[in-house]
Amino acid sequence: MKMTYREAVRQAMHEALAADPRVFLMGEDVGKYGGTYACSKGFLEEFGPERIRDTPLSELGFVGAGIGAALGGLRPIVEVMTVNFSLLALDQIVNTAAALRHMSGGQFSVPLVLRMATGAGRQLAAQHSHSLENWYAHIPGIRVLAPATIGDARGMLGPALADPDPVVIFEHAQLYNLEGELPADWRCDIASAAVRREGTDVSLITYGGSLPKALAAAEQLAAEGIAAEVIDLRVLRPLDTATLAASLRKTHKAVVVDEGWKSGSLAAEVMACIVEQCFFDLDAPVARVCSEEVPIPYAKHMEEAALPQVPKIVAAAKQVIGK
Amino acid sequence: MIAPPPAGPVPWDKGFAQKLLADMLRIRRMEEKCAELYGAQKIRGFLHLYIGEEACAVGAMHALTADDNIVATYREHGHALVRGVSMNAIMAEMFGKSAGCSRGRGGSMHLFDAATRFYGGNAIVGGGLPLAVGFALADKLQGRRAVTACFFGEGAMAEGAFHESMNLAALWQLPVLFCCENNLYAMGTALARSEAQTDLCAKAASYAVPTLKADGMDIVAVHEAMKLAAAHVRDGLGPFFLELQTYRFRAHSMFDPELYRDKAEVEEWKARGPLHTFSARLKAEEKLTEEEFLAFDARANAEVQAAVDFAEAAPWEPVEDLLKDVHTP
């Protein structure tokens, strides 16, 4: 069945709401407006205002309320409009949701699912475009997901809701209009990375909104006789380093593609893992393609220049394999 | 201008009145011992004593039921104890032992207890308020008639979390009892030096939440106000804001040289102390004898000594368990 990423997110939430009365959706404009990205269109009419709960512009307040509601026996899906706005709620996420279980000696789990849009590419400038997934991936106590395909957009929410601990789901804003076939076996885990394209010459390791770019780069490389393997991290915390290591043992070369800024990036963590675990498998230094270290600018040509793009990925891959 | 010491009749039977007095004594003796143990380096980290404010927790907690949820702050030893967390478990927690109510992972500022619905122990000022809104939302959506009592200091009312939480609770008419223990100082910053509007009830009332102010040094006033507030919330009439005007007799934490307030002011407030004023009132009404008072005091001291012995003897959590409970197994 062909559908958009948006529709896959919508179906996943619909299924969860229909299946479990403890599940409810809360966030800015999720109800009357139908969701900033139209992922909850029609839900208010179908499930009512108690379960499709429009909130005031109070990220700290409603994310914290989601944590409390989770502790109180519900299964909240809390939607934050963008990762930039989630910074207003960071205290509740880091100091409470992630810490509570350990800090209380294992007495309280927080079964909260937090969804938010992330990433650039729509000329929304420096306060709506950032990729801060690695900030969240730094924190023990939460699981961080980055569905990059129609199947994962459909499949990851179920297990995220079943997880007794907090799960943060990043949906790259450029992916909502992505169209594709929903695989028959869309049910999936929230623990492993996935090989999206097999290859033997170089591993392109990426996640989220950069996956389509990495796949396009692999296509171009193939035309030049280079077989690139594309790894979709899918789960940014905890990282599935076994899948990375298996790929590196085959290709011996890697390029990490990450829309986050280079310094202190998730790419840096992936590279460190590769060096720790696969140093003697490597035939070349590991390379990375990240965003330029600048607040994302508005002007289209400048924004494009700031982000990882297919030609940069292709160039990095060729450099790594010495072509 | 500091009000005269609490006085007047105690509208309770002897048994109930003595129970509340005994609970205040338990908190006082426990915390005096904590200060001593801090000096002896048995308790480390931050230690925020509640001494002087006992009427608030005791008066308030006795107006709640076992089904209610409690969210408190880092100055929560008294709340935990009177809620029903054992003194042994509290003391062991402060020693950092695995027999502690948070297995030694939390310490003084993070007492938790699932059995008594005691949800911390929050060291982020204002951090508990959104959480309380969530508990109340869960209760409302699941049709439970519980109250979520959220304790915080007046310092929290400068945080955005206060405003966001008041608005959410009022907008959704949630069963939250916001209980502000106004001890006049946010660490070392006096209320008038940090708030343009020092009438805290006026701030709360701007969210269309009913408010009440009570003398937090007078356990009778606290308990009666809390009963009213809890009944309002339990009856589904929405959130309530209660201000308890109180004072801490000790420093903010064990590191505080108290440069920001006059010793004379502290002495004036001590004259209003909840323990001796309440005892005097009960004696005047012949609801308490000196012998009974001494017996309660001795019992509290014995409980404290037993708790210290328990904490001393309790084992340390093995280091191999360090990563346990970061995630649910």
Side-chain angles (χ1 to χ4, degrees):
Chain A
M1 194 199 315
K2 227 177 163 57
M3 68 172 66
T4 59
Y5 182 98
R6 168 185 293 106
E7 179 59 18
V9 171
R10 190 180 130 43
Q11 284 192 11
M13 287 200 287
H14 190 277
E15 180 188 56
L17 285 158
D20 186 345
R22 298 173 304 168
V23 173
F24 73 104
L25 174 66
M26 171 162 69
E28 292 155 356
D29 281 317
V30 298
K32 278 258 184 210
Y33 190 95
T36 311
Y37 295 96
C39 291
S40 47
K41 212 169 159 190
F43 283 13
L44 179 63
E45 294 72 20
E46 187 173 353
F47 298 105
E50 296 284 28
R51 297 182 68 202
I52 307 300
R53 192 164 281 269
D54 278 320
T55 65
L57 309 183
S58 305
E59 287 83 1
L60 179 71
F62 69 74
V63 169
I67 297 167
L71 287 163
L74 298 178
R75 291 290 178 274
I77 303 172
V78 177
E79 179 176 309
V80 177
M81 228 179 250
T82 86
V83 66
N84 288 82
F85 302 170
S86 80
L87 304 190
L88 294 160
L90 215 44
D91 161 53
Q92 286 292 327
I93 301 166
V94 177
N95 288 320
T96 301
L100 195 64
R101 185 171 171 83
H102 195 264
M103 185 166 76
S104 67
Q107 292 183 78
F108 303 110
S109 302
V110 182
L112 169 78
V113 170
L114 199 57
R115 292 176 44 245
M116 62 184 90
T118 184
R122 295 172 309 134
Q123 288 191 263
L124 297 180
Q127 294 181 337
H128 282 68
S129 301
H130 291 144
S131 281
L132 303 174
E133 289 91 327
N134 67 316
W135 290 23
Y136 288 89
H138 181 61
I139 302 160
I142 57 178
R143 183 178 293 272
V144 181
L145 310 180
T149 63
I150 309 288
D152 276 353
R154 179 69 182 87
M156 279 181 144
L157 182 68
L161 280 164
D163 192 316
D165 299 316
V167 178
V168 184
I169 304 180
F170 286 99
E171 296 161 7
H172 196 289
Q174 287 284 68
L175 293 175
Y176 286 115
N177 287 331
L178 178 77
E179 216 175 356
E181 201 64 32
L182 177 70
D185 57 343
W186 52 265
R187 291 194 189 273
C188 58
D189 67 70
I190 51 169
S192 62
V195 179
R196 298 298 184 194
R197 179 186 175 120
E198 300 223 22
T200 49
D201 296 334
V202 60
S203 301
L204 305 181
I205 302 162
T206 190
Y207 67 93
S210 297
L211 177 64
K213 294 176 181 174
L215 288 168
E219 197 63 35
Q220 281 192 23
L221 289 163
E224 299 182 43
I226 299 166
E229 177 146 300
V230 178
I231 307 287
D232 174 6
L233 292 171
R234 297 182 69 247
V235 183
L236 309 185
R237 181 184 186 92
L239 280 172
D240 169 16
T241 54
T243 297
L244 296 181
S247 182
L248 265 293
R249 274 195 295 275
K250 190 165 63 168
T251 63
H252 309 289
K253 294 169 229 58
V255 175
V256 186
V257 184
D258 176 4
E259 200 177 301
W261 292 297
K262 184 172 170 178
S263 301
S265 57
L266 193 76
E269 177 62 24
V270 170
M271 292 163 89
C273 289
I274 290 171
V275 169
E276 283 168 350
Q277 297 182 26
C278 311
F279 186 78
F280 296 105
D281 292 310
L282 290 174
D283 283 347
V286 184
R288 57 180 152 169
V289 179
C290 296
S291 283
E292 298 297 332
E293 310 240 351
V294 61
I296 303 298
Y298 162 70
K300 189 170 171 53
H301 66 297
M302 297 294 270
E303 182 185 42
E304 281 173 359
L307 301 175
Q309 303 292 0
V310 175
K312 291 186 194 173
I313 302 169
V314 169
K318 284 167 134 177
Q319 194 184 2
V320 162
I321 55 183
K323 283 195 179 174
Chain B
M1 204 52 171
I2 296 166
V10 177
W12 305 332
D13 66 43
K14 182 176 160 178
F16 185 71
Q18 288 193 351
K19 166 76 183 138
L20 269 59
L21 176 70
D23 272 346
M24 287 201 289
L25 267 169
R26 291 170 69 222
I27 298 173
R28 178 69 60 93
R29 297 299 174 241
M30 176 177 78
E31 290 209 310
E32 287 168 345
K33 179 58 85 175
C34 288
E36 191 186 314
L37 290 164
Y38 199 87
Q41 303 198 351
K42 290 286 184 187
I43 298 175
R44 308 302 303 266
F46 280 139
L47 180 72
H48 306 92
L49 299 178
Y50 195 56
I51 288 175
E53 305 185 39
E54 295 91 340
C56 297
V58 176
M61 220 58 87
H62 280 286
L64 299 171
T65 74
D67 294 332
D68 297 336
N69 309 304
I70 315 297
V71 177
T73 72
Y74 53 85
R75 198 182 299 285
E76 87 289 30
H77 311 148
H79 304 79
L81 184 69
V82 68
R83 179 61 181 174
V85 186
S86 79
M87 201 186 288
N88 283 0
I90 293 171
M91 194 62 78
E93 185 59 35
M94 294 208 232
F95 273 60
K97 300 290 185 76
S98 56
C101 57
S102 306
R103 295 186 63 81
R105 272 89 173 275
S108 158
M109 300 192 286
H110 303 297
L111 305 177
F112 288 93
D113 183 49
T116 56
R117 308 184 81 84
F118 191 81
Y119 297 100
N122 199 318
I124 304 298
V125 172
L129 281 89
L131 215 59
V133 169
F135 278 113
L137 178 60
D139 283 336
K140 188 176 184 188
L141 293 187
Q142 292 170 107
R144 291 193 292 252
R145 262 188 102 234
V147 171
T148 296
C150 181
F151 295 88
F152 53 93
E154 85 291 347
M157 293 183 62
E159 295 281 2
F162 168 78
H163 297 276
E164 295 189 15
S165 301
M166 289 297 288
N167 184 50
L168 282 172
L171 183 68
W172 295 341
Q173 287 294 288
L174 300 178
V176 190
L177 202 171
F178 292 101
C179 188
C180 176
E181 299 174 318
N182 175 11
N183 69 12
L184 300 175
Y185 293 91
M187 203 160 109
T189 303
L191 184 61
R193 295 185 60 235
S194 60
E195 289 286 322
Q197 169 59 280
T198 56
D199 180 346
L200 303 180
C201 285
K203 291 183 82 169
S206 73
Y207 291 99
V209 171
T211 68
L212 195 59
K213 200 177 295 194
D215 182 355
M217 308 307 271
D218 178 353
I219 192 162
V220 174
V222 170
H223 182 68
E224 296 302 318
M226 190 71 180
K227 274 202 298 195
L228 269 175
H232 170 98
V233 173
R234 202 180 304 284
D235 286 347
L237 301 176
F240 198 98
F241 177 87
L242 177 63
E243 177 189 350
L244 303 176
Q245 297 179 312
T246 185
Y247 199 82
R248 76 177 143 68
F249 294 167
R250 298 288 186 105
H252 164 75
S253 75
M254 305 309 280
F255 298 103
D256 167 16
E258 291 190 79
L259 303 173
Y260 50 84
R261 61 184 189 182
D262 281 342
K263 290 205 164 48
E265 179 187 291
V266 179
E267 290 311 311
E268 273 188 83
W269 275 93
K270 280 185 177 171
R272 309 190 71 249
L275 267 173
H276 71 85
T277 57
F278 188 52
S279 302
R281 290 161 76 185
L282 291 180
K283 283 177 186 170
E285 292 187 33
E286 297 184 346
K287 287 176 176 167
L288 181 75
T289 64
E290 181 62 14
E291 292 68 37
E292 284 171 321
F293 179 86
L294 292 173
F296 287 130
D297 203 26
R299 212 172 300 160
N301 280 322
E303 188 182 4
V304 171
Q305 192 51 53
V308 173
D309 293 344
F310 174 83
E312 279 280 14
W316 298 102
E317 184 173 22
V319 171
E320 298 74 60
D321 285 355
L322 176 64
L323 300 184
K324 201 176 144 195
D325 290 323
V326 175
H327 287 280
T328 307

